[in-house]
Amino acid sequence: MKKFYLTTPIYYVNDEPHIGHTYTTVIADVISRYYKLLGYSAFFLTGTDEHGAKIFEVAKKNNLEPKKYCDKIVEKFKSAWKLLNIEYTNFIRTTDEYHEKTVQFVLEKIHNNGDIYKSNYEGLYCIQCEKFIQEDELVDGVCPDHNVKPVLYKEENYFFKLSKYKNAIFEKIKNNEIEILPETRKNEVLGKLQAGLEDISISRKTLKWGIPLPFDSEQTIYVWIDALINYLSGIDYFKFSNLGFNNKEFWPCDLHLIGKDILWFHSVIWPALLLSLNIPLPKKILAHGFFTIDGKKMSKTLGNVIKPAQLVEQFGVDATRILIVSMFPIGVDGNFSLSEMKDKYNKDLADNFGNLVSRTFGMLNKYFCNKLKTLLPSQILRQEILNCVKNYKTYFEKFELHRVTEVILELTSFANRYVQEKTPWILAKENKIDKLSQVLSDLLYIIKTSSILFFPFMTNISLKILSCFNEDEKDLNENFQTLLRQGQIYIKAEEFSQPEILFKKIQ
Ligand code: MSP
């Protein structure tokens, strides 16, 4: 069986999940469901990043022990993912024992390889970014991403020989052994690498909220090193738990999904650690853009943070999922506007797809009392479906999810135009039953096809529609694979049930 291992970043638990986290997680879920439908054994890892100065401080502000504080926020992440129908394989917490053991084991190995040494470090550190920041990156003395003043760190730390791996990583990114998507981001990383690569500090002496270094318990491991290793511990690569995952079988990672802000860690530091460990490198890294809310940066101070539950309340789970991944292309920066989301919901889901389903089933009820021996689809329709499926596959494999949704919606728009052209109500009036059966068969055919194709995005709605064809999730894999291979599906049902209203129009 072919495997597909994909990951989201593990999220800092300094706050509840917002739509930034939701965006990455829904994209991952959609891709994971696609590969599962294709028959892959997909491993989808997500989780939380719980150590470091940032979490320590926020826990203190909340008058809680760090672990207690993390437990509280972790539940919020888990319930948000449940609400959004996210089907992860494992949820890793960096405070899990098997993760901590993995991290220590890995650091011991790298140390034994001679890639770690002790030295003094002095530099500015942004606690909110959890990274060192150069003087020339500051704007008016503050970190431009967080608007906070960095603190001066002066400590004796352990260092990882990152510079040693500069050429190897440059080559591997250049020749796509590690494929960075979109291409513009790849060039950014190559350019930055060319400018130079220094060793990095990987431990903290004064911060106690972290995993102790195995070879010097006076120091804790830098939160980013701890976090990156989750991609190994999450599948229990070194077998420190009894979770029973297939461990190494899933490695190398097929896709790390991240935001553009953390690309350097994933495309340079992470591969360097893996090279030192002599473990194969991840295949692809997809860096999505950052989005603003109504043109402004999302922040607590501005009071424009959108929580996933707010969207679900307005649009429902399935519509939220599809809207969030299709508002703009994954790789670019975009703007989220609730009113644009509402327009898109009305246009694509209520007026286009939803309308097609309700008018078709309405006619099926009115003219055939829900009973119809469907005919094979007309030639013109078969061609439309073939085109749609071909594009669907191409775009999915490039992770261009907004285009994937566009091609399905083009098919359903085609079907809506088809209704107007064929005027089935006139056929019914003139008693042209054969022609009417053909039109309705064609429409049912498109509805079933599009429902199957929509499944990775709108699992509940797809299943609801398929149940009107007397089908359930069991039939889905086979249907999906035949559709993607041959551009065909079959309608076995001769009696149908009526769907409920799927997308109520929002005023
Ligand atoms: N803990 C680290 C990741 C460690 S992975 C080994 C981290 N966490 S985070 O919670 O701050 O961010 C997680 C992800 O959310 C990042 O990929 C980031 O890009 C994404 N987003 C946070 N705010 C966002 C937007 N406003 N827009 C899009 N994505 C954003 O970084």
Side-chain angles (χ1 to χ4, degrees):
M1 198 192 246
K2 286 198 276 187
K3 66 94 188 169
F4 195 86
Y5 174 31
L6 84 166
T7 67
T8 70
I10 46 171
Y11 303 111
Y12 285 129
V13 288
N14 59 322
D15 204 357
E16 292 176 30
H18 55 60
I19 57 166
H21 312 116
T22 309
Y23 185 59
T24 329
T25 311
V26 173
I27 293 172
D29 191 60
V30 168
I31 297 174
S32 155
R33 286 179 187 270
Y34 171 79
Y35 280 98
K36 276 191 218 160
L37 282 178
L38 283 179
Y40 281 68
S41 162
F43 197 109
F44 165 14
L45 180 70
T46 190
T48 41
D49 195 352
E50 305 183 16
H51 293 125
K54 170 149 109 173
I55 306 303
F56 183 76
E57 288 194 354
V58 76
K60 205 160 77 184
K61 257 195 216 141
N62 282 276
N63 286 321
L64 284 172
E65 286 288 308
K67 178 65 169 51
K68 283 253 153 47
Y69 170 79
C70 294
D71 290 347
K72 215 173 101 184
I73 304 287
V74 164
E75 283 316 307
K76 308 231 180 219
F77 273 90
K78 287 191 172 168
S79 59
W81 300 158
K82 194 164 171 203
L83 175 70
L84 285 156
N85 214 355
I86 305 291
E87 202 178 57
Y88 51 75
T89 318
N90 190 19
F91 187 106
I92 183 128
R93 299 183 55 178
T94 53
T95 49
D96 285 334
E97 197 186 340
Y98 68 101
H99 172 75
E100 297 192 341
K101 282 188 177 159
T102 307
V103 173
Q104 290 197 317
F105 181 77
V106 161
L107 268 288
E108 187 83 69
K109 267 186 115 171
I110 298 178
H111 188 232
N112 291 343
N113 291 346
D115 277 346
I116 291 178
Y117 63 93
K118 209 171 184 184
S119 179
N120 285 310
Y121 193 84
E122 187 175 334
L124 295 171
Y125 190 81
C126 172
I127 293 182
Q128 293 311 309
C129 294
E130 288 284 16
K131 69 178 185 195
F132 284 102
I133 186 163
Q134 303 300 321
E135 200 102 35
D136 60 7
E137 291 175 85
L138 303 178
V139 176
D140 298 329
V142 296
C143 154
D145 285 340
H146 294 100
N147 262 338
V148 292
K149 232 176 134 168
V151 289
L152 182 72
Y153 267 158
K154 201 173 167 188
E155 280 186 359
E156 188 176 45
N157 290 153
Y158 287 88
F159 279 71
F160 170 60
K161 290 185 185 166
L162 184 61
S163 56
K164 174 174 157 187
Y165 295 99
K166 179 182 158 192
N167 293 342
I169 290 171
F170 186 89
E171 280 312 309
K172 285 177 196 294
I173 294 179
K174 195 166 159 229
N175 64 27
N176 283 346
E177 235 176 280
I178 310 172
E179 196 179 339
I180 298 179
L181 297 163
E183 185 92 12
T184 45
R185 301 262 176 250
K186 166 182 171 178
N187 298 332
E188 260 171 46
V189 174
L190 288 177
K192 207 170 150 193
L193 263 173
Q194 238 160 357
L197 190 61
E198 286 179 11
D199 295 346
I200 52 159
S201 154
I202 52 142
S203 68
R204 297 285 175 271
K205 200 169 180 176
T206 42
L207 179 73
K208 294 296 163 223
W209 180 236
I211 305 174
L213 262 182
F215 43 87
D216 183 348
S217 58
E218 289 288 290
Q219 303 228 0
T220 55
I221 296 162
Y222 172 36
V223 62
W224 260 103
I225 302 296
D226 167 351
L228 288 165
I229 297 169
N230 95 86
Y231 299 132
L232 289 175
S233 59
I235 51 167
D236 202 14
Y237 188 92
F238 294 110
K239 294 201 177 160
F240 281 112
S241 84
N242 51 10
L243 289 170
F245 298 135
N246 286 342
N247 307 303
K248 287 183 186 174
E249 275 177 36
F250 284 101
W251 196 262
C253 180
D254 295 274
L255 179 66
H256 285 311
L257 262 167
I258 55 164
K260 65 173 185 178
D261 54 329
I262 54 177
L263 179 59
W264 184 253
F265 286 103
H266 284 81
S267 59
V268 175
I269 300 176
W270 178 224
L273 294 171
L274 290 167
L275 283 176
S276 173
L277 291 166
N278 202 15
I279 289 178
L281 303 182
K283 293 186 190 160
K284 287 183 185 169
I285 303 172
L286 173 61
H288 65 71
F290 249 54
F291 50 76
T292 45
I293 309 290
D294 294 319
K296 296 197 191 81
K297 192 178 170 202
M298 187 167 53
S299 84
K300 262 189 171 175
T301 348
L302 289 175
N304 62 352
V305 176
I306 301 181
K307 306 265 167 73
Q310 279 170 260
L311 296 180
V312 171
E313 201 178 307
Q314 179 157 21
F315 302 109
V317 176
D318 287 43
T320 296
R321 287 171 55 104
I322 195 163
L323 288 171
I324 218 172
V325 299
S326 61
M327 286 306 287
F328 37 81
I330 287 183
V332 304
D333 290 340
N335 180 43
F336 253 106
S337 125
L338 278 175
S339 81
E340 276 170 31
M341 266 181 116
K342 203 174 82 184
D343 291 348
K344 195 167 163 58
Y345 170 94
N346 283 335
K347 182 170 142 273
D348 293 347
L349 300 176
D351 293 345
N352 181 349
F353 183 48
N355 181 34
L356 176 69
V357 175
S358 74
R359 75 206 296 202
T360 302
F361 276 89
M363 289 189 281
L364 187 65
N365 188 19
K366 189 166 168 197
Y367 304 137
F368 294 100
C369 294
N370 295 322
K371 289 197 183 95
L372 180 69
K373 249 193 176 154
T374 52
L375 304 164
L376 286 176
S378 355
Q379 185 55 34
I380 171 171
L381 210 105
R382 263 184 264 168
Q383 200 48 49
E384 282 294 318
I385 292 177
L386 277 176
N387 288 345
C388 166
V389 167
K390 193 173 125 243
N391 292 333
Y392 179 91
K393 234 163 92 177
T394 311
Y395 291 137
F396 238 122
E397 252 121 67
K398 292 201 276 180
F399 313 119
E400 293 186 14
L401 301 187
H402 74 293
R403 287 212 192 286
V404 174
T405 61
E406 264 167 28
V407 302
I408 318 173
L409 289 164
E410 275 161 20
L411 184 67
T412 54
S413 296
F414 166 84
N416 276 317
R417 286 198 305 275
Y418 192 70
V419 176
Q420 295 311 119
E421 261 168 44
K422 299 287 171 186
T423 54
W425 47 91
I426 296 180
L427 298 177
K429 218 190 231 162
E430 294 173 353
N431 219 9
K432 294 185 176 155
I433 299 301
D434 287 351
K435 283 195 172 159
L436 185 61
S437 306
Q438 183 65 59
V439 173
L440 278 183
S441 299
D442 285 352
L443 295 174
L444 287 170
Y445 204 86
I446 292 201
I447 290 176
K448 187 170 171 192
T449 303
S450 45
S451 303
I452 295 171
L453 295 178
F454 269 135
F455 181 81
F457 303 87
M458 301 197 283
T459 52
N460 295 327
I461 298 254
S462 287
L463 290 176
K464 270 188 197 160
I465 299 174
L466 291 171
S467 75
C468 299
F469 290 80
N470 284 323
E471 294 194 9
D472 57 27
E473 208 165 351
K474 285 199 309 296
D475 309 300
L476 204 65
N477 276 46
E478 200 191 316
N479 272 323
F480 188 81
Q481 288 168 33
T482 324
L483 180 60
L484 259 60
R485 254 197 323 266
Q486 302 165 9
Q488 273 186 21
I489 47 135
Y490 300 94
I491 297 179
K492 288 191 207 121
E494 294 185 5
E495 186 163 1
F496 300 81
S497 50
Q498 286 290 316
E500 57 192 79
I501 294 177
L502 302 172
F503 307 100
K504 285 203 186 83
K505 211 156 167 171
I506 302 175
Q507 296 313 319

